[in-house]
Amino acid sequence: MVLLFMSDSDDPKVWAEALRAFEPDLEVRVWPDVGVAEEIEFALVWLPPPGMLAGLPGLKLIQSLGAGIDHIFSDPDLPRDVPVARLVDDELTRQMVEYVTLAVLSRHRRIDRYRHLQAERQWRPSRSVPLSASRVGVLGLGVIGAATATALAGLGLAVAGWSRAPKQIDRVENFAGAGGLDAFLARSDILVCLLPLTPETEGVLNARTLGALPEGAYVINVGRGGHVVEADLIAAIDGGHLSGAWLDVFRSEPLPSDHPFWSHPSVTVTPHVAALTEPASAAAQVIENIRRARQGREPLHRVDLAAGY
Ligand code: NDP
Ligand code: OXD
């Protein structure tokens, strides 16, 4: 039983230990030390180089190290007959909910304003408004979006969500499909992007959609950098229509050192850390998928190639 591990941002030793705690016979090879390529049955990957997976003729499973799979689907040579599975992990979801809550509440309590006042040594308190006055819109109501929307609604914020198909979530107003997008945007003072990156959602945050948000709206992107047309976002902030943005993901990662987001006074940047996969939490799911693949069964959380997520 041979698994190939490939990630520049996850520790292969920690993963190998976590996996072998369940399957002591599993051999874990670390890219680029593939050995005999035909022996590899499973690939556990984050951002595999294009063509890498096509070079493994014995593959039975491609397992993403994260919830997203755009980093796999972007490979033009991806073997289409091998099942691709994504992680659906409670710890990952918990971290995402925590991160988005932090960003939403920071905006609600105008922490940016106090940061700027601190730089000027100004003591200028202002009253906070009730949570119900902040209308949050969550783009994407999947595993993470639904948990986030539910948590925010539980705090007392006025929450709506947008999905492809209509959804019923307690205390969360639902808008669905292209036809529901503009009405959803028009009522979203704080917009949170939790969409997967697909050909349909690429560039969804652009001059038109950002312009459809209420005056002074704030954008939080934890989906993927490809959701945002970056020049349009900066123009909307600089033009005064948006009050700012909080961004965890970018078209180019690491964010280039000369990128205008780094120094923009109304933009908060974090280095794709909203959630990081914990091997201790996620290894059991990977092992379950390895066992299923060996038995010729469907893996958990198999991704629909046609839908792209
Ligand atoms: P899911 O696949 O569970 O949910 C995706 C949601 O997006 C669904 O509600 C789906 O609608 C909706 N959606 C997809 N396409 C469209 C469309 N064209 N129009 C409207 N709605 C659409 O994903 P997760 O919740 O698990 O994860 C979401 C994303 O979060 C990941 O793909 C990843 O990019 C990002 N992420 C970022 C992390 C970070 O650290 N920054 C960490 C983890 C994830 P429907 O329900 O109708 O199918
Ligand atoms: C993920 C991510 O998709 O970390 O899990 O972005």
Side-chain angles (χ1 to χ4, degrees), residues 260-278:
F261 284 153
W262 281 117
S263 54
H264 199 293
S266 303
V267 176
T268 296
V269 168
T270 58
H272 199 146
V273 288
L276 299 175
T277 302
E278 289 296 338

Side-chain angles (χ1 to χ4, degrees), residues 140-248:
L141 286 176
V143 174
I144 298 170
T148 303
T150 300
L152 296 174
L155 289 174
L157 292 140
V159 183
W162 184 65
S163 45
R164 214 152 65 122
K167 287 257 136 68
Q168 269 206 332
I169 302 176
D170 207 24
R171 286 179 295 179
V172 177
E173 192 183 354
N174 184 237
F175 296 81
L181 182 58
D182 281 7
F184 163 82
L185 293 171
R187 52 74 61 213
S188 297
D189 302 312
I190 302 177
L191 183 73
V192 179
C193 179
L194 268 166
L195 289 165
L197 185 62
T198 68
E200 275 186 40
T201 65
E202 147 75 31
V204 66
L205 300 178
N206 54 48
R208 193 198 75 74
T209 52
L210 296 172
L213 291 167
E215 203 72 31
Y218 190 79
V219 171
I220 297 167
N221 186 21
V222 280
R224 285 289 182 262
H227 289 130
V228 176
V229 179
E230 295 180 343
D232 291 0
L233 178 62
I234 291 175
I237 298 172
D238 290 347
H241 181 64
L242 297 183
S243 55
W246 184 309
L247 308 172
D248 184 54

Side-chain angles (χ1 to χ4, degrees), residues 49-112:
M52 177 196 125
L53 296 163
L56 306 171
L59 263 193
K60 295 189 172 77
L61 170 73
I62 299 167
Q63 173 71 58
S64 172
L65 274 157
I69 39 72
D70 49 293
H71 61 103
I72 296 171
F73 280 12
S74 57
D75 180 351
D77 298 321
L78 179 71
R80 312 292 289 181
D81 51 339
V82 181
V84 177
R86 69 193 199 93
L87 286 179
V88 172
D89 178 62
D90 286 351
E91 171 56 18
L92 197 69
T93 303
R94 188 199 64 71
Q95 290 180 40
M96 291 298 278
V97 171
E98 176 185 281
Y99 180 98
V100 173
T101 304
L102 168 74
V104 167
L105 292 184
S106 296
R107 167 60 194 160
H108 175 76
R109 294 299 297 261
R110 303 293 192 270
I111 293 302
D112 268 12

